[in-house]
Amino acid sequence: MLLAGYLGPSGTFSEQAAYAYFNNINEYQLIPFPTIQDLLQAVDKGEVSKGVVPIENSIEGAVNTTVDMLAFEVNLKIQAEIVIPVRHYFIGFEEFGFGEIKAVLSHPQAIAQCRNYLHTHVPKAEIVFTSSTAEAVREVAANKAPRAAVGTLLAAKKYGLSVLDSDIQDNKHNETRFVVLGKEEGKRGAKCKTSLVFSTENKPGELYRVLNIFSLWDVNMTKILSRPSKTRLGEYVFFVDLEGHILEEDMKNALMMVQRKTSFYKLLGSYEIIE
Amino acid sequence: MLLAGYLGPSGTFSEQAAYAYFNNINEYQLIPFPTIQDLLQAVDKGEVSKGVVPIENSIEGAVNTTVDMLAFEVNLKIQAEIVIPVRHYFIGFEEFGFGEIKAVLSHPQAIAQCRNYLHTHVPKAEIVFTSSTAEAVREVAANKAPRAAVGTLLAAKKYGLSVLDSDIQDNKHNETRFVVLGKEEGKRGAKCKTSLVFSTENKPGELYRVLNIFSLWDVNMTKILSRPSKTRLGEYVFFVDLEGHILEEDMKNALMMVQRKTSFYKLLGSYEIIE
């Protein structure tokens, strides 16, 4: 039995992403990890074979811990990408009406994402923060009281609570991109992406010169993200996502040129997009 | 007397940045605000004339609340930029030796930035999180006990505590960039920058075409930051910092062209760099 880690606790969107990926791969046992750092280090040291972590959310942006660790701290390959819609559920006991609910428990980010809903439907309920949405559901399930949690469908099922309302997040375009990480290259799929991180010499126009290479080779860049190089203010590394696989001729040629024109270059992998 | 707000409480780096800017401007009274949102909305509504908020840190990257609000929620101009080195001080009572210190209080981010130092010098002290570094210093000052805080020099002075050690942050290249925001354009200084935010049509090569304009007009881009457009995953707005002032001919021409080639365009201001 091989081991695969996900950002825990059980009942989070990361577990849902891990299920989506490992669905048909019975040889993996899924293990929750308390932090992204712990998980990526465990994959890097070979303590688990694969790790599933969030890398970007459509509202919050990049998950900085994940991208910074991939650039600076571990040598891992992105093997696959999975996009999970962020759907928050209002979870509790059917015995109590909305007007009776005294407290709503959840992670601060989930509470923030459902602010309008909670303000409209349970304006008088006290808000109680927990360390994860799954922890909120577990606490509500622990004793029968007029309390509710904001959490995932997975957590509601796991702790035997009722779904009182669905899709309660204020912004309906809320999605999170997860990546599967491991020591080896991922396999080539029908739809592929290539991710890399680089920095240029700190001279005017250097970034433009690199993007020019993608343009010359007709390689489509779907994303660019800058992060501090952590050396001094105003110096950055750039994360770029490209459409296609490194085994394609144009991509290979473009990246060969990028590598020559950059002062730091790290290929994060060519990988399949799971849809 | 005019009012200017900063991200509070008193004794934080934001207050230090506000002092640096308003030093010679006696007509302003400085007021702390509990959150960046509250402060920017107060400036937008004209309740205070100016606001000083962090926009970028050399280790953590962009302050997302500030950049997202400037793009989507308020109509404010950047009037000046101030860079403050992040220096953490170990603050307490001289009567107690390091070996006696039972607890260290501070904001989670400050604790994280001094992790190695604390691990080496007070390995057995309990870590207690507070809502700000200033709050940590205030709490330690409140009763004479073998406890210490990680905070600013300003806060140590304010609460009458001793500096037990200086510059205890693990990364010595830690700086934060603050901006002064207001309803009007800032004044032109010796060294100027221009900031704008834009988005392009979601077609291959569109970002490259915009950067090409800066290159053609010899306008130096010192920073590019992408943030989610908050509509759907994979759509972004780009924040760009440029060297120079919009009253310069090349800059004016470049921006006129950028405005034509983008689907969303918002000038955040041409402003002086305070050094």
Side-chain angles (χ1 to χ4, degrees), chain A residues 94-118:
Chain A
E94 274 178 0
E95 287 88 334
F96 306 108
F98 273 41
E100 295 172 82
I101 291 171
K102 294 271 182 297
V104 175
L105 287 72
S106 201
H107 187 271
Q109 199 168 61
I111 293 286
Q113 290 173 350
C114 302
R115 196 179 289 124
N116 292 342
Y117 179 90
L118 297 175

mmCIF file of all heavy atoms in Angstrom, chain A residues 94-118:
data_model
loop_
_atom_site.group_PDB
_atom_site.id
_atom_site.type_symbol
_atom_site.label_atom_id
_atom_site.label_comp_id
_atom_site.label_asym_id
_atom_site.label_seq_id
_atom_site.Cartn_x
_atom_site.Cartn_y
_atom_site.Cartn_z
ATOM 1 N N GLU A 94 -31.894 19.054 11.897
ATOM 2 C CA GLU A 94 -33.162 19.485 11.293
ATOM 3 C C GLU A 94 -34.193 19.908 12.339
ATOM 4 O O GLU A 94 -35.129 20.640 12.034
ATOM 5 C CB GLU A 94 -33.739 18.360 10.429
ATOM 6 C CG GLU A 94 -33.166 18.415 9.029
ATOM 7 C CD GLU A 94 -33.654 17.290 8.142
ATOM 8 O OE1 GLU A 94 -34.452 16.460 8.615
ATOM 9 O OE2 GLU A 94 -33.218 17.258 6.983
ATOM 10 N N GLU A 95 -34.003 19.435 13.580
ATOM 11 C CA GLU A 95 -34.966 19.729 14.646
ATOM 12 C C GLU A 95 -35.085 21.226 14.933
ATOM 13 O O GLU A 95 -36.110 21.695 15.416
ATOM 14 C CB GLU A 95 -34.537 19.027 15.953
ATOM 15 C CG GLU A 95 -34.751 17.531 15.958
ATOM 16 C CD GLU A 95 -33.537 16.779 15.391
ATOM 17 O OE1 GLU A 95 -32.794 17.382 14.586
ATOM 18 O OE2 GLU A 95 -33.363 15.614 15.745
ATOM 19 N N PHE A 96 -34.025 21.968 14.664
ATOM 20 C CA PHE A 96 -34.032 23.392 15.029
ATOM 21 C C PHE A 96 -34.280 24.263 13.798
ATOM 22 O O PHE A 96 -33.711 24.031 12.735
ATOM 23 C CB PHE A 96 -32.700 23.793 15.673
ATOM 24 C CG PHE A 96 -32.326 22.938 16.849
ATOM 25 C CD1 PHE A 96 -31.299 22.011 16.765
ATOM 26 C CD2 PHE A 96 -33.031 23.044 18.056
ATOM 27 C CE1 PHE A 96 -30.964 21.212 17.843
ATOM 28 C CE2 PHE A 96 -32.698 22.247 19.142
ATOM 29 C CZ PHE A 96 -31.664 21.322 19.041
ATOM 30 N N GLY A 97 -35.156 25.265 13.942
ATOM 31 C CA GLY A 97 -35.378 26.214 12.853
ATOM 32 C C GLY A 97 -34.258 27.240 12.799
ATOM 33 O O GLY A 97 -33.501 27.384 13.762
ATOM 34 N N PHE A 98 -34.172 27.949 11.662
ATOM 35 C CA PHE A 98 -33.122 28.958 11.500
ATOM 36 C C PHE A 98 -33.183 30.013 12.607
ATOM 37 O O PHE A 98 -32.161 30.506 13.062
ATOM 38 C CB PHE A 98 -33.240 29.643 10.130
ATOM 39 C CG PHE A 98 -32.514 28.916 9.029
ATOM 40 C CD1 PHE A 98 -32.552 27.522 8.955
ATOM 41 C CD2 PHE A 98 -31.810 29.613 8.068
ATOM 42 C CE1 PHE A 98 -31.884 26.842 7.937
ATOM 43 C CE2 PHE A 98 -31.132 28.950 7.059
ATOM 44 C CZ PHE A 98 -31.164 27.564 6.993
ATOM 45 N N GLY A 99 -34.419 30.370 13.017
ATOM 46 C CA GLY A 99 -34.588 31.408 14.020
ATOM 47 C C GLY A 99 -34.073 31.002 15.389
ATOM 48 O O GLY A 99 -33.765 31.850 16.224
ATOM 49 N N GLU A 100 -33.943 29.690 15.602
ATOM 50 C CA GLU A 100 -33.485 29.203 16.912
ATOM 51 C C GLU A 100 -31.968 29.112 17.016
ATOM 52 O O GLU A 100 -31.422 28.989 18.110
ATOM 53 C CB GLU A 100 -34.044 27.792 17.167
ATOM 54 C CG GLU A 100 -35.554 27.699 17.297
ATOM 55 C CD GLU A 100 -35.980 26.229 17.343
ATOM 56 O OE1 GLU A 100 -35.908 25.643 18.436
ATOM 57 O OE2 GLU A 100 -36.365 25.683 16.291
ATOM 58 N N ILE A 101 -31.288 29.129 15.855
ATOM 59 C CA ILE A 101 -29.836 28.876 15.854
ATOM 60 C C ILE A 101 -29.076 29.981 16.606
ATOM 61 O O ILE A 101 -29.156 31.155 16.278
ATOM 62 C CB ILE A 101 -29.308 28.696 14.414
ATOM 63 C CG1 ILE A 101 -29.848 27.384 13.844
ATOM 64 C CG2 ILE A 101 -27.782 28.709 14.365
ATOM 65 C CD1 ILE A 101 -29.585 27.166 12.377
ATOM 66 N N LYS A 102 -28.357 29.552 17.649
ATOM 67 C CA LYS A 102 -27.675 30.493 18.548
ATOM 68 C C LYS A 102 -26.244 30.792 18.101
ATOM 69 O O LYS A 102 -25.709 31.851 18.392
ATOM 70 C CB LYS A 102 -27.609 29.903 19.971
ATOM 71 C CG LYS A 102 -28.959 29.749 20.659
ATOM 72 C CD LYS A 102 -29.323 31.002 21.423
ATOM 73 C CE LYS A 102 -30.643 30.819 22.144
ATOM 74 N NZ LYS A 102 -31.788 30.587 21.212
ATOM 75 N N ALA A 103 -25.611 29.815 17.433
ATOM 76 C CA ALA A 103 -24.205 29.985 17.061
ATOM 77 C C ALA A 103 -23.915 29.297 15.732
ATOM 78 O O ALA A 103 -24.489 28.267 15.414
ATOM 79 C CB ALA A 103 -23.296 29.416 18.148
ATOM 80 N N VAL A 104 -23.010 29.940 14.954
ATOM 81 C CA VAL A 104 -22.533 29.338 13.706
ATOM 82 C C VAL A 104 -21.027 29.171 13.810
ATOM 83 O O VAL A 104 -20.302 30.133 14.098
ATOM 84 C CB VAL A 104 -22.890 30.213 12.485
ATOM 85 C CG1 VAL A 104 -22.293 29.635 11.208
ATOM 86 C CG2 VAL A 104 -24.395 30.363 12.351
ATOM 87 N N LEU A 105 -20.554 27.946 13.587
ATOM 88 C CA LEU A 105 -19.132 27.636 13.713
ATOM 89 C C LEU A 105 -18.510 27.425 12.331
ATOM 90 O O LEU A 105 -19.105 26.766 11.477
ATOM 91 C CB LEU A 105 -18.930 26.348 14.534
ATOM 92 C CG LEU A 105 -19.172 26.390 16.040
ATOM 93 C CD1 LEU A 105 -20.662 26.512 16.367
ATOM 94 C CD2 LEU A 105 -18.601 25.142 16.698
ATOM 95 N N SER A 106 -17.310 27.955 12.118
ATOM 96 C CA SER A 106 -16.526 27.607 10.931
ATOM 97 C C SER A 106 -15.166 28.277 10.955
ATOM 98 O O SER A 106 -14.864 29.070 11.837
ATOM 99 C CB SER A 106 -17.253 27.960 9.633
ATOM 100 O OG SER A 106 -16.717 27.184 8.567
ATOM 101 N N HIS A 107 -14.364 27.922 9.971
ATOM 102 C CA HIS A 107 -13.067 28.560 9.761
ATOM 103 C C HIS A 107 -13.308 30.012 9.335
ATOM 104 O O HIS A 107 -14.250 30.280 8.593
ATOM 105 C CB HIS A 107 -12.321 27.796 8.658
ATOM 106 C CG HIS A 107 -10.916 28.250 8.449
ATOM 107 N ND1 HIS A 107 -10.576 29.256 7.581
ATOM 108 C CD2 HIS A 107 -9.759 27.846 9.024
ATOM 109 C CE1 HIS A 107 -9.266 29.441 7.615
ATOM 110 N NE2 HIS A 107 -8.749 28.603 8.482
ATOM 111 N N PRO A 108 -12.457 30.958 9.781
ATOM 112 C CA PRO A 108 -12.666 32.378 9.447
ATOM 113 C C PRO A 108 -12.852 32.645 7.947
ATOM 114 O O PRO A 108 -13.671 33.477 7.562
ATOM 115 C CB PRO A 108 -11.379 33.050 9.956
ATOM 116 C CG PRO A 108 -10.863 32.154 11.030
ATOM 117 C CD PRO A 108 -11.302 30.767 10.680
ATOM 118 N N GLN A 109 -12.116 31.911 7.089
ATOM 119 C CA GLN A 109 -12.229 32.141 5.652
ATOM 120 C C GLN A 109 -13.613 31.719 5.125
ATOM 121 O O GLN A 109 -14.198 32.421 4.307
ATOM 122 C CB GLN A 109 -11.132 31.365 4.920
ATOM 123 C CG GLN A 109 -10.888 31.904 3.532
ATOM 124 C CD GLN A 109 -9.620 31.340 2.944
ATOM 125 O OE1 GLN A 109 -9.486 30.142 2.770
ATOM 126 N NE2 GLN A 109 -8.686 32.202 2.633
ATOM 127 N N ALA A 110 -14.128 30.595 5.623
ATOM 128 C CA ALA A 110 -15.451 30.137 5.200
ATOM 129 C C ALA A 110 -16.532 31.109 5.683
ATOM 130 O O ALA A 110 -17.468 31.432 4.951
ATOM 131 C CB ALA A 110 -15.710 28.726 5.731
ATOM 132 N N ILE A 111 -16.376 31.597 6.899
ATOM 133 C CA ILE A 111 -17.320 32.586 7.439
ATOM 134 C C ILE A 111 -17.299 33.839 6.560
ATOM 135 O O ILE A 111 -18.358 34.355 6.150
ATOM 136 C CB ILE A 111 -16.946 32.967 8.900
ATOM 137 C CG1 ILE A 111 -17.129 31.778 9.849
ATOM 138 C CG2 ILE A 111 -17.746 34.193 9.374
ATOM 139 C CD1 ILE A 111 -18.551 31.414 10.208
ATOM 140 N N ALA A 112 -16.098 34.289 6.196
ATOM 141 C CA ALA A 112 -15.957 35.490 5.364
ATOM 142 C C ALA A 112 -16.616 35.274 4.003
ATOM 143 O O ALA A 112 -17.225 36.189 3.445
ATOM 144 C CB ALA A 112 -14.479 35.845 5.196
ATOM 145 N N GLN A 113 -16.508 34.062 3.468
ATOM 146 C CA GLN A 113 -17.053 33.778 2.136
ATOM 147 C C GLN A 113 -18.576 33.646 2.144
ATOM 148 O O GLN A 113 -19.199 33.599 1.077
ATOM 149 C CB GLN A 113 -16.399 32.512 1.563
ATOM 150 C CG GLN A 113 -14.926 32.739 1.212
ATOM 151 C CD GLN A 113 -14.203 31.481 0.794
ATOM 152 O OE1 GLN A 113 -14.729 30.391 0.927
ATOM 153 N NE2 GLN A 113 -12.990 31.639 0.283
ATOM 154 N N CYS A 114 -19.171 33.535 3.335
ATOM 155 C CA CYS A 114 -20.632 33.398 3.435
ATOM 156 C C CYS A 114 -21.221 34.558 4.229
ATOM 157 O O CYS A 114 -22.327 34.442 4.783
ATOM 158 C CB CYS A 114 -20.981 32.079 4.124
ATOM 159 S SG CYS A 114 -20.325 30.636 3.283
ATOM 160 N N ARG A 115 -20.511 35.665 4.316
ATOM 161 C CA ARG A 115 -20.899 36.767 5.194
ATOM 162 C C ARG A 115 -22.314 37.252 4.902
ATOM 163 O O ARG A 115 -23.131 37.375 5.818
ATOM 164 C CB ARG A 115 -19.900 37.909 5.093
ATOM 165 C CG ARG A 115 -20.013 38.915 6.230
ATOM 166 C CD ARG A 115 -18.990 40.024 6.105
ATOM 167 N NE ARG A 115 -17.636 39.560 6.372
ATOM 168 C CZ ARG A 115 -16.606 39.681 5.527
ATOM 169 N NH1 ARG A 115 -16.787 40.243 4.351
ATOM 170 N NH2 ARG A 115 -15.418 39.257 5.852
ATOM 171 N N ASN A 116 -22.622 37.501 3.655
ATOM 172 C CA ASN A 116 -23.960 38.011 3.303
ATOM 173 C C ASN A 116 -25.057 37.000 3.652
ATOM 174 O O ASN A 116 -26.099 37.367 4.185
ATOM 175 C CB ASN A 116 -24.062 38.344 1.809
ATOM 176 C CG ASN A 116 -23.189 39.525 1.454
ATOM 177 O OD1 ASN A 116 -22.787 40.286 2.335
ATOM 178 N ND2 ASN A 116 -22.874 39.666 0.176
ATOM 179 N N TYR A 117 -24.790 35.730 3.346
ATOM 180 C CA TYR A 117 -25.774 34.691 3.640
ATOM 181 C C TYR A 117 -26.085 34.646 5.136
ATOM 182 O O TYR A 117 -27.253 34.650 5.541
ATOM 183 C CB TYR A 117 -25.269 33.326 3.174
ATOM 184 C CG TYR A 117 -26.240 32.213 3.484
ATOM 185 C CD1 TYR A 117 -27.232 31.854 2.584
ATOM 186 C CD2 TYR A 117 -26.190 31.541 4.705
ATOM 187 C CE1 TYR A 117 -28.150 30.855 2.886
ATOM 188 C CE2 TYR A 117 -27.095 30.548 5.027
ATOM 189 C CZ TYR A 117 -28.073 30.211 4.114
ATOM 190 O OH TYR A 117 -28.985 29.234 4.417
ATOM 191 N N LEU A 118 -25.047 34.624 5.951
ATOM 192 C CA LEU A 118 -25.240 34.516 7.399
ATOM 193 C C LEU A 118 -25.924 35.766 7.941
ATOM 194 O O LEU A 118 -26.799 35.683 8.810
ATOM 195 C CB LEU A 118 -23.880 34.291 8.103
ATOM 196 C CG LEU A 118 -23.155 32.987 7.724
ATOM 197 C CD1 LEU A 118 -21.772 32.930 8.373
ATOM 198 C CD2 LEU A 118 -23.979 31.756 8.119
#
